[in-house]
Amino acid sequence: MFWVLFLLSAWAVAGLACLRLCLAAVRAAAVDPHAAVREHTLTLYEAAFLSGGPRRVADLTLVSMARQRRLLLAHTGWATVVDPCGRDEMERSVIGAIGPGGQSRIAPVRAAAAAADAVRSLADRLVGAGLAVPEGGADGVAAGVRQVRAAAVAVCALGVVALALPLPATEPRPLIALWFALPLTLTLGCLAITRVEIHPYARWASPAGQRLVGALLRQADGTADDRTFLTSVAVRGVHAVGEPDLRAAFAHREKYAGDRWERQA
C-alpha cells in the first residue's frame, strides 16, 4: 500500500494547482475591464509592455529611434547613436545603455534598457491603472496555467514511480493506474476549461489591458505610416515587421545572445 502515499501526493499537487488557477480566474473575472478601457488610452510604450513586457519596450524604443534616423541598427547586430539627445526617459535609457562610446551590441543594450527605471515606472503605472499584472504574476491566470501544467507532469511522474514499485498480486497495476488517472483528468480538464473560457493567457496584461491591446492590434499591419508600423512592433514584436535589414539586426542579436549572453524571450 506504499503507492497510496504517491497517490495522495498526486491529489494534493493537482488539487492545489487547480484551486490556485480557479482563484486567479475568479479574481480576473471580478475586474471590470470596461472602466479601465473608458478611462485610459494606451501609448505605444504601454502597448509594448502589455504585449511583451520590458524587453518589448526596449525593442520598440530601438526601432522607433532607428526609424527617425537617430540610431543606426546594423544588420551585424550593432547599435550606433546618431543623436545623443533622447526625447523621453525610454530613449535616454537606451542611449545610456549604449554607453559613452556611442556604439554597442544590441543584446546588452536591450537587456539594460529593459531593466531601467523608466520601464519600472511604466510598469507601476500600468499596474496601478489595473491594466498590467503585478510583478511576479504569482496570482495571475497565466501563472496558474503553468502551475496546473506542472502539476499534470508531476501526477504522471508520481504514477510512474508508484507503478514501478514492487506490488503484491492482490493489487493489479491497471487499477493503480486508474487511480492516478483521476487527478490527471482533473488537471487536464481544468486546463481545457480555462483555454475555452479565458484563452489567451496574457503574461503581462490584465483582462482590461488585453482589451486595449486588442483594439490596437486591429490597427497594426506592419505597413503604412510610422505610427502604424510602430504599433505593429509594439503589439507583435520586431519579427512581425517586413523590413529585412531590421529583422537581420535583431536576428543577429538573438544569435549573439545565445552565444555570449543569457537568451531571453
Side-chain angles (χ1 to χ4, degrees):
M1 294 294 288
F2 189 67
W3 63 269
V4 175
L5 297 179
F6 290 93
L7 178 62
L8 293 176
S9 298
W11 272 110
V13 169
L16 185 59
C18 290
L19 177 62
R20 287 177 175 172
L21 177 56
C22 291
L23 291 176
V26 169
R27 282 191 291 268
V31 177
D32 179 12
H34 300 283
V37 169
R38 288 192 299 267
E39 298 171 2
H40 197 98
T41 300
L42 287 182
T43 66
L44 287 179
Y45 289 138
E46 291 172 337
F49 184 90
L50 294 176
S51 301
R55 291 177 181 272
R56 182 70 59 78
V57 177
D59 287 348
L60 174 66
T61 308
L62 287 165
V63 173
S64 175
M65 295 179 71
R67 295 281 287 187
Q68 299 169 25
R69 309 300 185 196
R70 296 186 295 111
L71 188 70
L72 296 179
L73 299 179
H75 68 278
T76 55
W78 284 85
T80 304
V81 175
V82 177
D83 180 2
C85 299
R87 298 180 181 179
D88 55 43
E89 289 298 321
M90 301 297 181
E91 293 188 0
R92 285 189 282 272
S93 297
V94 167
I95 294 171
I98 292 175
Q103 191 175 58
S104 175
R105 284 280 187 178
I106 293 176
V109 171
R110 182 200 190 206
D117 291 339
V119 178
R120 286 194 290 269
S121 298
L122 173 66
D124 290 341
R125 291 195 302 271
L126 290 170
V127 171
L131 300 175
V133 177
E135 184 176 2
D139 297 327
V141 173
V145 169
R146 290 193 296 271
Q147 290 172 354
V148 175
R149 287 172 178 165
V153 174
V155 169
C156 291
L158 289 168
V160 169
V161 172
L163 291 172
L165 295 174
L167 300 172
T170 56
E171 297 177 356
R173 295 180 188 275
L175 181 60
I176 294 175
L178 182 62
W179 278 109
F180 278 92
L182 296 177
L184 180 61
T185 300
L186 173 64
T187 57
L188 296 180
C190 192
L191 289 173
I193 293 172
T194 305
R195 183 172 183 84
V196 171
E197 297 292 334
I198 306 177
H199 188 77
Y201 330 116
R203 179 181 178 185
W204 305 100
S206 69
Q210 291 181 64
R211 289 178 69 92
L212 292 177
V213 172
L216 278 178
L217 187 60
R218 290 189 290 271
Q219 307 169 18
D221 58 7
T223 59
D225 57 16
D226 278 353
R227 174 74 184 187
T228 304
F229 180 91
L230 294 175
T231 299
S232 182
V233 173
V235 299
R236 292 174 174 155
V238 172
H239 297 294
V241 303
E243 293 193 0
D245 290 343
L246 183 61
R247 292 168 64 92
F250 281 83
H252 191 91
R253 176 206 68 199
E254 289 185 349
K255 182 175 183 295
Y256 179 80
D259 293 338
R260 305 243 334 247
W261 295 77
E262 179 183 0
R263 182 170 180 172
Q264 301 288 341

